[in-house]
Each structure stands twice: as C-alpha cells, then as structure tokens.
Amino acid sequence: MSTDDREIEVYRDPAFAPGDKVISKKNVKNDGTMAGKEIGETVVRKGDEGYVRDIGVFLQQFYIYAVDFVGRGSIVGMRERELTPADPDRTRLTGSSDLQSHIVTRPEKEPAQ
C-alpha cells in the first residue's frame, strides 16, 4: 500500500476523541481479527452508532479508532473515513493533551492504622 497519494493522518490531531459518539458510514465484516465471529460475518452495519473508546496508530500513518458498538456488543477498529460524528456541531480536538482527558486517576489509599 503506497501512501504517496494519501494524507498521513498522524501529522495532525485525531478527528475524534475518546467518548465521542460516532456513526458507521459502511458495513464492516470480520477479517479474521475478531474472536468468536466467523470470517466474513458482518460486525457493524452502516448507520450503527457507537462510542470511541481509544485511539491507536497503524503503520505510523493512520489513526485507528476503537469504537464500542454497544447495541452489537462489539468493539471494532475503524478508520476516520469510515466514521461520521453523531453530533455534527461538535468541534475537533484542539490539542494532543485532549487525548488524555479520558484517563481517570484515583487518589492513593490511606494506609490502614
């Protein structure tokens, strides 16, 4: 796969953030990477709604969004071009520090006395 004619997405901020509600633009079939599903089985249908859980990088070029399709009970890795925001008025991330906003820190427990 040549990237000569494609944008290298990681040179800019991701289009979605963890917690964003998104809609699938296409049907997605299992390519063999989803345990418990048959190869070729449809795991996401066009129009399914889900929530971005995490963001990864593939080939140091593309963002992969782990989308939790709650209604289907599956988490599927999807590209930006396969998704559209459920809220068209939402704004794009403003900086890379926004990516860490989903991490919850817990205070240290007091030692037992």
Side-chain angles (χ1 to χ4, degrees):
M1 172 170 59
S2 172
T3 60
D4 294 337
D5 59 345
R6 296 187 183 156
E7 172 191 16
I8 297 178
E9 295 173 5
V10 298
Y11 288 167
R12 60 169 171 74
D13 290 335
F16 305 105
D20 283 355
K21 187 174 184 179
V22 293
I23 300 170
S24 175
K25 288 183 177 180
K26 62 181 272 186
N27 292 331
V28 177
K29 294 183 179 184
N30 181 18
D31 61 0
T33 58
M34 291 189 70
K37 305 283 185 183
E38 293 292 323
I39 294 175
E41 180 180 345
T42 300
V43 293
V44 175
R45 292 207 181 276
K46 182 177 179 179
D48 282 352
E49 293 182 345
Y51 296 88
V52 176
R53 286 180 51 124
D54 198 11
I55 303 170
V57 174
F58 179 66
L59 297 175
Q60 298 179 350
Q61 298 172 348
F62 309 108
Y63 289 114
I64 300 295
Y65 300 91
V67 180
D68 189 349
F69 291 95
V70 180
R72 291 199 162 271
S74 61
I75 300 170
V76 179
M78 299 188 72
R79 298 271 312 270
E80 177 182 338
R81 67 179 183 219
E82 300 171 321
L83 300 168
T84 188
D87 178 10
D89 295 330
R90 77 172 252 300
T91 58
R92 179 175 237 195
L93 291 174
T94 56
S96 60
S97 63
D98 293 340
L99 289 177
Q100 300 302 318
S101 64
H102 69 286
I103 296 174
V104 178
T105 56
R106 296 186 178 118
E108 291 185 29
K109 293 183 179 179
E110 296 286 328
Q113 294 192 17

